[in-house]
Amino acid sequence: MARNENTNNHTYRNRRITFLILLPVLFLMFVFAFQRFSPANAADSNMIRVTDLGAYSTIPKGTVLYYDSGFEITYNTVNGSTSVNATLDSTDNLYKITVSNQFDDWHVDPDPYSGISSFYLDGNDYYNKYYNIVNYVDKNNNVLKSKSFKFSGNGGQYIPASDVEKTAPLAANVPDIIESDYTYKFNGNWSPQFSDVPDTKQNSPIVYTAQYDKTINSYTVKFVDEAGNTISVVDNNGKTVESISYNYGTKAADIIKPADTPTKASDNGFDYTFKDWSPAITDVTADATYTASFNSVPKKFKITYNLDGGKNSDSNPAEYEYGAGVKSFADATKAGYKFDGWYGEAELTNKVTSIPDTADADVTLYAKFTKVEQATEATTQATTEATTQATTEATTQATTEAPKETKVEQPTEAATQAPQKEAKKAQNTKSPGTGDSAPLVIAIVVMLASLAGIVCVFVRKAVLKKNK
């Protein structure tokens, strides 16, 4: 029993190993098969699908062209004497043709209008010698279709005009041409009229140009405010509409504008007046939207001065503009009072020295005054004169009462006999109330003069302070 289990496990492992070995081999086989039949590697495999011919400049000898259905392959020899068509290869169900010569170039002539494309493989000399090109173009000379017509070159074979006409693009395949002024729609005609393709080589393609009927384009014009809201207009029929269509080239003066002048609501700082339409209205060449634009006029606000019985300065403004404000204010005056500034409320709490440029309301200012003591010029002069007079009189009196020196007779010889001490005392004795009182009077006068000077200084300062 155990032996059978070992055998089974061994067999299972061998199968796993075999599968892992075969997996990359199968992958490589798949890659090889894909590359073999991939158009990108057709040059290496000597096979080219007809839809990939445009990727090659030459076809090496022995190259196999192939397709499944929907195409016609015609292989022409260099001299153009033989033509070989593709044959169905039953092994892979592909139509194939083998190129038996080395070519310098080939001509690919797709015909999307008929659903079948013909690929003509020719040498350059043969192609240049035996083919004429017919181009079908639109009004702007853009090629709508190009067709190569083969001729014999011996003067006996040509392509009839009917074939040229049949080859022309169908009307459904000629697109309208829309230009700024007109739209052009193909009317089924070509210019010049179709003719036979000659049996001689033409130096340039034969060109047929599509003919069109044109219709003038119309464009929408409308007016809006700054927020993009449509402003209605009244058309020529008296109907109120949001926009009007105008033909290309309509003059700016003929564009109907809104009957009412656009308006814009004022905000905190500005009033608005209509200025113009932006951009400027011009002749009609495309759809256009014109937006109302406005002039901004700064609002003006009133300034009221509460002077408390005083007088305002003539330089203080009666109003101010938003965005400008007031830089400063001059002082007010009031007799007997000192001006202490402008305030924003009757309680005189917040001092105001200017109005900012962002202010957007009326302003009331309150003047603050402080009472001061008055000193007249007459009082000052009288005080000065009285002080001066008192000083003069006191000086005169002191001079008059000054003591004079008394002449003493010379003592006789007998008198010398008195005691020396008594004689000396008698000699130095002065009259009471004269010489001893003079220094006191002078000191009093000087003190009075000084006091008068101090009084004058204080009176003068008070007068100057009042007059400021």
Side-chain angles (χ1 to χ4, degrees):
M1 186 69 178
R3 182 177 181 182
N4 289 336
E5 290 181 358
N6 292 334
T7 301
N8 291 335
N9 291 336
H10 185 268
T11 301
Y12 176 72
R13 285 196 298 270
N14 288 340
R15 289 177 179 175
R16 289 183 59 188
I17 294 172
T18 302
F19 176 76
L20 293 175
I21 293 173
L22 290 177
L23 184 62
V25 174
L26 292 173
F27 175 76
L28 292 175
M29 291 176 64
F30 172 77
V31 171
F32 175 78
F34 177 79
Q35 291 180 340
R36 175 69 177 176
F37 292 99
S38 173
N41 295 281
D44 296 335
S45 62
N46 293 326
M47 292 185 66
I48 301 176
R49 186 178 177 86
V50 293
T51 54
D52 297 326
L53 281 173
Y56 299 89
S57 59
T58 60
I59 299 178
K61 181 179 178 180
T63 299
V64 177
L65 304 181
Y66 70 96
Y67 67 97
D68 46 7
S69 63
F71 294 93
E72 174 188 346
I73 301 178
T74 301
Y75 165 71
N76 295 296
T77 60
V78 175
N79 58 15
S81 60
T82 61
S83 178
V84 181
N85 293 324
T87 58
L88 179 63
D89 188 336
S90 59
T91 58
D92 51 15
N93 201 32
L94 294 176
Y95 290 89
K96 298 179 181 179
I97 187 171
T98 301
V99 177
S100 59
N101 294 282
Q102 174 71 37
F103 295 101
D104 297 326
D105 201 355
W106 60 88
H107 176 59
V108 179
D109 187 13
D111 189 356
Y113 306 101
S114 64
I116 299 177
S117 296
S118 298
F119 298 86
Y120 298 91
L121 309 178
D122 306 289
N124 282 337
D125 293 339
Y126 179 80
Y127 174 74
N128 292 334
K129 184 176 181 181
Y130 295 103
Y131 282 92
N132 279 324
I133 306 300
V134 175
N135 288 338
Y136 304 87
V137 301
D138 64 13
K139 65 178 290 291
N140 297 322
N141 289 321
N142 298 310
V143 177
L144 300 171
K145 182 180 180 181
S146 181
K147 178 67 177 178
S148 299
F149 291 95
K150 182 177 178 296
F151 59 92
S152 63
N154 55 16
Q157 182 181 354
Y158 63 90
I159 305 301
S162 59
D163 287 356
V164 177
E165 183 176 3
K166 290 177 182 178
T167 310
L170 300 176
N173 295 316
V174 180
D176 294 344
I177 297 177
I178 301 176
E179 298 180 353
S180 60
D181 50 356
Y182 291 94
T183 295
Y184 296 85
K185 188 175 184 62
F186 178 56
N187 59 20
N189 297 318
W190 297 87
S191 179
Q193 291 184 346
F194 294 119
S195 60
D196 299 339
V197 177
D199 193 34
T200 57
K201 178 64 179 176
Q202 304 298 300
N203 294 326
S204 59
I206 301 168
V207 177
Y208 293 96
T209 304
Q211 300 300 293
Y212 299 83
D213 294 328
K214 67 178 183 179
T215 304
I216 192 167
N217 294 331
S218 62
Y219 295 99
T220 299
V221 175
K222 68 178 181 178
F223 297 86
V224 299
D225 59 21
E226 285 186 330
N229 301 312
T230 301
I231 302 175
S232 299
V233 294
V234 179
D235 63 14
N236 291 326
N237 298 320
K239 184 179 179 180
T240 300
V241 295
E242 293 188 350
S243 62
I244 298 178
S245 292
Y246 297 90
N247 286 339
Y248 177 90
T250 300
K251 297 299 181 182
D254 296 328
I255 295 177
I256 300 175
K257 304 172 186 63
D260 297 330
T261 301
T263 59
K264 181 179 179 180
S266 300
D267 53 30
N268 290 345
F270 295 95
D271 295 319
Y272 297 94
T273 59
F274 177 69
K275 179 181 180 182
D276 208 340
W277 296 103
S278 177
I281 299 176
T282 59
D283 297 348
V284 176
T285 58
D287 291 338
T289 298
Y290 297 103
T291 304
S293 62
F294 297 86
N295 292 314
S296 57
V297 181
K299 283 186 175 181
K300 293 184 178 181
F301 300 96
K302 183 180 178 182
I303 304 175
T304 301
Y305 298 89
N306 192 319
L307 297 170
D308 191 24
K311 181 180 179 182
N312 198 4
S313 171
D314 293 338
S315 63
N316 285 335
E319 61 183 13
Y320 73 92
E321 278 190 357
Y322 177 83
V326 179
K327 303 301 181 184
S328 62
F329 292 95
D331 294 348
T333 58
K334 183 178 180 180
Y337 291 82
K338 178 175 72 73
F339 179 73
D340 286 334
W342 297 102
Y343 287 80
E345 60 285 310
E347 294 77 14
L348 304 179
T349 303
N350 298 305
K351 195 169 187 178
V352 177
T353 59
S354 64
I355 298 177
D357 55 11
T358 55
D360 55 4
D362 293 340
V363 174
T364 299
L365 297 178
Y366 296 84
K368 180 179 180 181
F369 295 100
T370 301
K371 186 174 180 61
V372 296
E373 295 294 335
Q374 298 293 325
T376 63
E377 187 71 24
T379 302
T380 302
Q381 182 177 359
T383 302
T384 303
E385 290 177 353
T387 302
T388 302
Q389 182 177 358
T391 302
T392 302
E393 291 176 354
T395 303
T396 303
Q397 182 180 357
T399 304
T400 304
E401 294 178 357
K404 296 181 180 179
E405 185 177 355
T406 304
K407 186 177 181 181
V408 180
E409 293 181 0
Q410 295 294 327
T412 62
E413 185 175 351
T416 58
Q417 295 179 358
Q420 186 68 26
K421 183 176 181 179
E422 292 296 332
K424 197 172 203 177
K425 180 178 180 182
Q427 185 178 1
N428 293 332
T429 300
K430 296 180 180 179
S431 301
T434 57
D436 292 339
S437 63
L440 178 61
V441 172
I442 293 174
I444 292 173
V445 171
V446 172
M447 289 176 64
L448 289 175
S450 299
L451 180 61
I454 292 172
V455 171
C456 289
V457 170
F458 278 103
V459 171
R460 181 63 175 169
K461 284 184 178 182
V463 173
L464 290 177
K465 189 172 183 180
K466 170 189 174 295
N467 294 332
K468 285 185 179 180

